[in-house]
Amino acid sequence: MRFFSFRALRPMPDLAARMAAPPYDVVDVDQARRLAAGNPFSFLHISRPEIDLPVGTDPYSDAVYERAASVFREFQRRGLFIRDERPGIYLYMQQRGTHRQFGLMGCCCIDDYLNGTIRRHEHTRLEKEADRTRHTKAVGAHVGPVFLMYRARFEIDVLVESAASEEEPLYNFEAEDGVRHMVWRMPDAKAVERAFLTVERAYIADGHHRAAAYAKVGAEMRAATSGFKDDAPHNIFLAALFPASQLRILPYHRFVRDLNGLSVGEFLERMGKVGRVERTGGAPELSPGECGVFIAGLWHKLALPAPSNADAVSQLDASVLHDKVLGPVLGIGDPRSDARIG
């Protein structure tokens, strides 16, 4: 796969801790307002600009995207960002407790996303995809990376270990949630680019809507441009690539607004016919093939056997959950557009 260096626009070092913010889609507007309260440097003012507009503002209104573009320009005018003079690739470490994971921040090729070199496992929701497309066009930048994973390669590991041990970090701070973030500039970006040419596949861990939006905007710009190079700005998108062996993946929850006409007892009975249901005293510890279910004030653990002869995506827990419970039991159609699921 192709992986490119880029001229980063990044925070001033003394502002990095205050500017750092969770991804736009893991907090609702009220949570985002609380997180950004009293902090004019929070990136949430750009990624979730509705927090600075009157309560009840439609998050998809023109005013929201205009606000994002305005704040982004203002941050640049005030000198809150550094524009690197030369293209680079960056090493990014996250640490919670004793667990550390090292990723590389650079740009991937939109064509690799479109041709399947970068694999997807999740359908996008239409309104979210449209939102990130409009946001990207308004701001004129990729303000959040697509989180990718790949099978570890020795030659990449060597470059990462060398940079982490020998280079001075650009950033080193602990966020409010207890996660430590460190960033280094890779000393030899070309060596990283060459090493990634041996990586056959990358897989989206998070950021399906960002990837779809970046590809859509890039395709529109490419159609309006005669002649292009693979690493032209509209042919690449911001990405963070982590070796899968280092990752700790946290749950992604579904909220279903009704039981499709079933009583709680009927619903639990139906679940018991497609898997094994066990009531637990609290949120259950889960293994692959299991999910927690919270209903009527009680927690249950549901074990769902994956089909053995299906393709890899159909065997994922999220796919099995939809194919056996969300679809046939709860009547959820297309999760991209069904208003009964969030």
Side-chain angles (χ1 to χ4, degrees), residues 192-226:
V192 178
E193 292 179 353
R194 289 193 298 270
F196 266 96
L197 290 174
T198 68
V199 175
E200 294 183 2
R201 296 279 186 270
Y203 304 82
I204 297 179
D206 188 50
H208 284 80
H209 294 94
R210 275 163 287 189
Y214 297 159
K216 182 173 292 187
V217 174
E220 290 178 5
M221 294 179 67
R222 185 157 67 183
T225 305
S226 58

Side-chain angles (χ1 to χ4, degrees), residues 128-200:
K128 282 188 173 185
E129 184 178 320
D131 166 57
R132 286 302 99 180
T133 299
R134 292 183 65 189
H135 189 279
T136 301
K137 288 181 178 179
V139 175
H142 296 170
V143 300
V146 178
F147 174 14
L148 301 174
M149 55 186 173
Y150 65 95
R151 290 186 174 91
R153 305 285 298 186
F154 174 77
E155 56 269 37
I156 298 175
D157 291 345
V158 169
L159 295 171
V160 165
E161 291 169 9
S162 175
S165 61
E166 298 176 10
E167 301 296 316
E168 284 295 316
L170 301 173
Y171 306 106
N172 182 2
F173 65 90
E174 184 173 301
E176 292 183 2
D177 60 2
V179 176
R180 177 159 295 280
H181 302 263
M182 296 181 69
V183 177
W184 299 260
R185 184 184 177 98
M186 294 297 290
D188 189 347
K190 291 299 181 184
V192 178
E193 292 179 353
R194 289 193 298 270
F196 266 96
L197 290 174
T198 68
V199 175
E200 294 183 2

Side-chain angles (χ1 to χ4, degrees), residues 12-334:
M12 294 290 290
D14 60 335
L15 292 177
R18 298 189 67 188
M19 196 174 289
Y24 77 97
D25 56 351
V26 303
V27 290
D28 62 30
V29 65
D30 293 329
Q31 292 170 321
R33 271 200 188 92
R34 289 195 295 270
L35 288 170
N39 180 7
F41 304 110
S42 172
F43 203 78
L44 289 167
H45 296 292
I46 296 170
S47 61
R48 292 299 297 268
E50 60 268 35
I51 65 176
D52 296 320
L53 297 174
V55 174
T57 297
D58 180 356
Y60 304 136
S61 65
D62 291 344
V64 170
Y65 305 103
E66 292 166 2
R67 177 71 184 181
S70 174
V71 176
F72 188 56
R73 288 194 300 267
E74 180 66 12
F75 274 32
Q76 294 178 77
R77 188 191 67 78
R78 292 170 59 191
L80 306 186
F81 294 128
I82 298 170
R83 168 71 78 179
D84 283 342
E85 290 298 322
R86 56 191 175 89
I89 288 175
Y90 302 84
L91 174 60
Y92 175 33
M93 188 276 288
Q94 300 170 320
Q95 179 174 353
R96 182 194 291 273
T98 60
H99 177 78
R100 299 196 302 172
Q101 52 195 39
F102 291 83
L104 288 159
M105 188 81 72
C107 290
C108 290
C109 185
I110 285 174
D111 285 332
D112 283 345
Y113 169 79
L114 296 175
N115 67 24
T117 299
I118 295 172
R119 297 294 177 93
R120 319 167 210 179
H121 71 267
E122 182 180 290
H123 294 300
T124 55
R125 292 183 67 87
L126 299 178
E127 73 279 8
K128 282 188 173 185
E129 184 178 320
D131 166 57
R132 286 302 99 180
T133 299
R134 292 183 65 189
H135 189 279
T136 301
K137 288 181 178 179
V139 175
H142 296 170
V143 300
V146 178
F147 174 14
L148 301 174
M149 55 186 173
Y150 65 95
R151 290 186 174 91
R153 305 285 298 186
F154 174 77
E155 56 269 37
I156 298 175
D157 291 345
V158 169
L159 295 171
V160 165
E161 291 169 9
S162 175
S165 61
E166 298 176 10
E167 301 296 316
E168 284 295 316
L170 301 173
Y171 306 106
N172 182 2
F173 65 90
E174 184 173 301
E176 292 183 2
D177 60 2
V179 176
R180 177 159 295 280
H181 302 263
M182 296 181 69
V183 177
W184 299 260
R185 184 184 177 98
M186 294 297 290
D188 189 347
K190 291 299 181 184
V192 178
E193 292 179 353
R194 289 193 298 270
F196 266 96
L197 290 174
T198 68
V199 175
E200 294 183 2
R201 296 279 186 270
Y203 304 82
I204 297 179
D206 188 50
H208 284 80
H209 294 94
R210 275 163 287 189
Y214 297 159
K216 182 173 292 187
V217 174
E220 290 178 5
M221 294 179 67
R222 185 157 67 183
T225 305
S226 58
F228 61 88
K229 298 188 300 181
D230 282 351
D231 61 350
H234 51 278
N235 288 322
I236 57 179
F237 61 90
L238 186 62
L241 287 107
F242 286 80
S245 57
Q246 293 184 19
L247 292 180
R248 177 178 295 169
I249 305 297
L250 302 177
Y252 193 89
H253 306 290
R254 276 86 172 147
F255 173 74
V256 182
R257 293 175 171 83
D258 62 68
L259 293 179
N260 196 31
L262 301 172
S263 68
V264 172
E266 290 169 335
F267 171 67
L268 292 173
E269 182 181 353
R270 290 283 301 275
M271 284 206 304
K273 292 180 178 178
V274 296
R276 187 178 70 255
V277 181
E278 171 190 347
R279 184 182 294 184
T280 58
E285 293 290 328
L286 300 174
S287 299
E290 298 175 340
C291 64
V293 181
F294 186 73
I295 183 170
L298 296 173
W299 278 102
H300 301 77
K301 180 163 67 174
L302 172 64
L304 290 167
S308 59
N309 58 349
D311 61 84
V313 171
S314 297
Q315 294 184 52
L316 291 173
D317 289 350
S319 299
V320 176
L321 177 65
H322 185 272
D323 294 343
K324 298 200 173 197
V325 177
L326 297 181
V329 178
L330 291 173
I332 301 296
D334 185 350

